[in-house]
Amino acid sequence: MANAETALKEALTSIEGATGVALVDYTSGMALGTMGGSKSFDLNVAAAGNTDVIRAKMRTMEHLGLKGEIEDVLITLSSQYHLIRLLKGRGGNGLFLYLVLDQSRANLAMARHQLKRIEEELEV
């Protein structure tokens, strides 16, 4: 089992094209931990903004009567992928991993696979 800091470090270093990663509480919008990012890309701001994405999707699913769970959400920009993976394990309720990938260097399928593995090993 990995703690949050170890999981974030592993995501940033082992996932090809990763430029930033955060563990986020979508009930409060707070990033519980971040790694990477840059002066022009504030992971705390991005984390807070992406809580709105998750909340909106959950509300929509509720209005539609959908019973499934969200595994992940992908946002594709012209030069980046933003991958949001909701935590399912013990203690993960209300949390998600947020991963920013450089589209020119990333293998999206592999990144999703690796982020799922990291999420499964994360102990919060």
Side-chain angles (χ1 to χ4, degrees):
M1 291 290 165
N3 65 22
E5 183 178 351
T6 302
L8 294 175
K9 189 178 295 184
E10 183 178 353
L12 192 61
T13 59
S14 71
I15 298 176
E16 180 102 21
T19 60
V21 62
L23 177 63
V24 184
D25 178 345
Y26 66 79
T27 58
S28 69
M30 299 287 296
L32 305 177
T34 64
M35 284 197 177
S38 66
K39 289 182 182 179
S40 64
F41 192 89
D42 186 332
L43 279 167
N44 288 300
V45 173
N50 280 297
T51 62
D52 293 335
V53 172
I54 296 301
R55 290 176 189 158
K57 187 60 188 170
M58 290 181 153
R59 272 193 313 274
T60 302
M61 289 175 63
E62 184 179 331
H63 291 308
L64 292 171
L66 299 175
K67 301 297 182 202
E69 293 182 343
I70 300 170
E71 277 189 36
D72 56 32
V73 175
L74 172 65
I75 300 168
T76 305
L77 305 178
S78 59
S79 63
Q80 295 176 330
Y81 295 124
H82 292 219
L83 188 57
I84 302 167
R85 174 136 191 115
L86 276 69
L87 272 60
K88 303 283 188 266
R90 187 179 55 158
N93 194 24
L95 302 178
F96 66 85
L97 285 168
Y98 170 62
L99 180 67
V100 181
L101 299 160
D102 177 336
Q103 203 176 73
S104 66
R105 297 184 301 132
N107 176 327
L108 184 57
M110 187 59 78
R112 289 183 70 220
H113 174 74
Q114 288 175 285
L115 195 60
K116 179 180 180 184
R117 181 186 49 76
I118 291 167
E119 178 256 329
E120 289 169 348
E121 294 174 359
L122 178 60
E123 181 74 31
V124 185

